[in-house]
Every structure is written in C-alpha cells, then in structure tokens.
Amino acid sequence: MSEPLLEVTDLVKHYPVRNGVLRRAAGIVHAVDGVSFSLRSGETLGLVGESGCGKSTVARSVLRLVEPSSGRIRLDGTDITHLGKTALRPHRRSMQIVFQDPFASLNPRMTAGDIVGEPLTVHGIATGRDRQQRVAKLFEQVGLRGDQMRNFPHQFSGGQRQRICIARALALGPRLIVCDEPVSALDVSIQAQVINLLIDLQRAHAFSYLFIAHDLAVVAHISHRVAVMYLGRIVEIADKTELFQNPRHPYTQALLASVPIADPTVRRLKPLVDGDVPSPVNPPPGCSFHTRCRYAIDRCKIERPALREAGERHQVACLLNAGTGHTQ
Ligand code: SF4
C-alpha cells in the first residue's frame, strides 16, 4: 500500500489557563491529548465528537495554524511539525481549509473574484488575464457563474458563499483540504448540495479531506473512515460502514443512539450516557469517559486505554470488549 498523504502521530496540544491580574498559570487545557491517525490520497476521514472535544484543534494543528505541544505531523513523507515559515510555504499550498462560517472567512471589501484569485497572486502563480481565466474556471467548478466574480460576499446566499470558500481552497491545487464544520451554518436544504459538491470535486481531483463535524449523518454521507473523539483523544476509528453498523466504544454507541439516521440497515441503540463532558482543564484519570460510562469498572478509573485492534481496520480505546462486559 502507498505511503499515507498525512500521518499524525501522538499529537498533543495543551493551553495554559491564566488567572488574576498577574495572569498566573492556574491550569492546563488538555485540548488534544495524544491523537494519531493517517489519511491516504483521495480518502475522507471524518472526525466527530461533541463541541470542545478537540477536533478543530487537531485540524488547526495539522495545518500548523496552531503549534502542537508535541507529536509529529508528516505530509507526503515530509515532517512538517517544526518547519519554519519559509520551509513551510510550499507545503501550505498542499493544505487548505474550509471554515464553518463562510461569511466570517470572506473579506467583505473584496469581490468574490479577488477572494478566489488572491492565493494565485500571493504564491506567484498567475496574474492579470491568466488569473482571471483560472478564477472563472474555479467558479465554474463550484457551480457559480463567471459574472458573479464581480459581486461582493454580501450579495451571495450562505451556500454560494461556502462555494466561494471552496473555490478559494481549490485555487492552489491542494492535496489535503480540511473541512471544519463546513455545512453546519447552512440551511439543511443547502447542506446536501455543498456535501455533494465536495464529493464530486474529490472524485475529479483525488484530494483528501479531513472532515470535522458533530453531525454524524453528514459524516456518514461523505467519509470513507470515521474517527470519534472524546476529551482530546480518539476513542474509536474504523471504516464508515463498520463503525456505523458495529460501534464498539460506549461513547460511539451513545452518539449513534442520539442521532436520527435515515438508513434502515443501521442498528438503533438505546442512549448509554448521562451527564456532561468533564472539563478539559481537569480531565478524569484513567479512561476519560469513565464518569459517564455504564460499563465502567474500577480499573477504568486508573488505567488509560490505548487504541487496540477490534476488527479489520477497526480500533477502539476501551478496557472492556464494550457491550459485552468481558475484559480484554
Ligand atoms: Fe467505559 Fe471502561 Fe471502556 Fe472507558 S475503558 S469506555 S470507562 S468500559
């Protein structure tokens, strides 16, 4: 099998919490706490979990928009974890992001054509007529008309603004696009159109998506594999069908039980979890899910479970063979 396009190993991102006038250190937010995964060319990995579980911090760390505390990020065989600004520049072309709120991520004073064409100028790829032609082609690829290049962001609908963001992400011919909740700010009727556009573009260009979302139905539609995050860690990762039909981690089971999925083949499960997510400033010892897990035993309060094989291309971080109560 070929080398993965993206390889993330034991990624950690901690933020200090400061209090009072003197801004004394009062604790540490464990935003990401030892995350590892890989992503092949042309593959989509869905990263799901509740708000605050660290999935967006993983995305921003991968893109080096925030500096990891430790761990390693390899893109196409190159370790980019500690590359300086200049050395990172060619790799930045290969990695793009589409944010959740298209309006906030577009400069309201620039025309849509200038927004999409800006990366071509910044990276010295095209100017003048050449740039205009490339931008017109990008507009066509995302389902916008060429004459809309002259319009400003406020003259577009929410779905069209996200198409502008996607066109801008495509401009430099990326190999990896991080989609950070790209449809959650859109009307439900528009969400499917944008997701289908992303799927069509991937088929045409074979790039990879790291797709962040809290909506499992959306993730199920676009992903090849799915990783479930809880309190800064991946607790389960598997091929999409395997994960949805045979969830092994109690948290994944709870997530699936709480989301309506329009697929009669998916087994419905009773809700298995109570209470709120603990604070990432003071995560529980042992298995961080033990405060909410109906299967928890004393050992779960002490021992931190590692991701272990639980089937073909299926890994679970649980000390029990979840759902059966048998120890591993
Ligand atoms: Fe639940 Fe224990 Fe498994 Fe954690 S390790 S998910 S607490 S059974």
Side-chain angles (χ1 to χ4, degrees):
M1 192 176 284
S2 58
E3 282 264 301
L5 173 68
L6 176 69
E7 212 174 353
V8 174
T9 310
D10 210 12
L11 183 72
V12 173
K13 179 62 187 175
H14 291 169
Y15 294 98
V17 181
R18 297 190 186 280
N19 268 349
V21 181
L22 298 177
R23 311 298 296 152
R24 287 207 175 96
I28 292 172
V29 176
H30 298 245
V32 178
D33 223 357
V35 162
S36 301
F37 63 87
S38 62
L39 184 59
R40 298 190 300 270
S41 287
E43 184 184 37
T44 298
L45 176 67
L47 202 53
V48 296
E50 290 164 284
S51 179
C53 70
K55 51 194 190 302
S56 290
T57 307
V58 169
R60 282 164 172 74
S61 300
V62 162
L63 296 171
R64 293 280 316 279
L65 298 177
V66 299
E67 290 303 311
S69 303
S70 63
R72 194 182 68 177
I73 302 158
R74 283 171 69 89
L75 182 73
D76 216 4
T78 303
D79 187 340
I80 63 164
T81 323
H82 303 293
L83 290 185
K85 205 173 168 185
T86 309
L88 191 61
R89 196 175 160 85
H91 301 287
R92 286 224 181 276
R93 284 181 57 172
S94 302
M95 307 184 287
Q96 296 295 314
I97 186 165
V98 176
F99 292 103
Q100 175 180 356
D101 183 351
F103 203 43
S105 63
L106 298 175
N107 185 336
R109 287 183 289 278
M110 289 172 74
T111 65
D114 282 342
I115 289 169
V116 173
E118 189 180 34
L120 297 170
T121 308
V122 168
H123 285 265
I125 293 170
T127 54
R129 190 168 175 75
D130 181 20
R131 187 182 100 147
Q132 199 171 6
Q133 285 172 345
R134 286 176 185 243
V135 171
K137 199 167 172 207
L138 288 163
F139 266 56
E140 191 184 318
Q141 283 181 28
V142 299
L144 294 171
R145 299 189 315 272
D147 62 284
Q148 292 177 302
M149 287 164 55
R150 292 188 296 273
N151 293 352
F152 289 88
H154 73 271
Q155 295 173 286
F156 292 90
S157 67
Q160 287 174 327
R161 282 196 285 267
Q162 199 55 298
R163 287 171 191 266
I164 296 169
C165 295
I166 294 167
R168 179 177 58 186
L170 293 178
L172 297 175
R175 300 197 60 201
L176 167 67
I177 299 181
V178 173
C179 301
D180 191 359
E181 303 266 12
V183 297
S184 51
L186 303 177
D187 290 346
V188 174
S189 59
I190 306 297
Q191 288 186 359
Q193 294 174 17
V194 173
I195 292 293
N196 288 335
L197 171 66
L198 289 170
I199 292 171
D200 289 344
L201 289 168
Q202 187 181 50
R203 286 195 184 120
H205 299 282
F207 38 58
S208 307
Y209 290 128
L210 179 59
F211 194 92
I212 316 285
H214 64 273
D215 185 337
L216 278 174
V218 170
V219 169
H221 193 60
I222 193 169
S223 303
H224 300 106
R225 279 189 306 142
V226 178
V228 179
M229 281 191 74
Y230 185 78
L231 268 185
R233 299 171 191 166
I234 290 178
V235 296
E236 185 159 12
I237 182 166
D239 286 344
K240 170 182 68 178
T241 308
E242 165 70 5
L243 188 111
F244 278 79
Q245 293 189 349
N246 189 24
R248 302 290 293 274
H249 196 282
Y251 180 61
T252 311
Q253 293 172 358
L255 281 184
L256 287 177
S258 66
V259 176
I261 298 170
D263 182 347
T265 66
V266 173
R267 187 160 50 98
R268 302 305 306 172
L269 298 149
K270 289 184 187 156
L272 302 170
V273 65
D274 295 316
D276 296 326
V277 184
S279 166
V281 178
N282 192 16
C287 173
S288 54
F289 190 57
H290 82 254
T291 54
R292 305 171 78 193
C293 180
R294 63 152 57 175
Y295 301 111
I297 56 175
D298 285 348
R299 192 176 147 212
C300 302
K301 298 175 188 168
I302 303 162
E303 199 175 320
R304 175 174 164 171
L307 273 175
R308 294 194 180 94
E309 298 299 325
E312 200 184 339
R313 289 166 56 78
H314 190 164
Q315 293 179 303
V316 183
C318 178
L319 298 173
L320 304 186
N321 197 352
T324 69
H326 298 144
T327 53
Q328 286 185 335

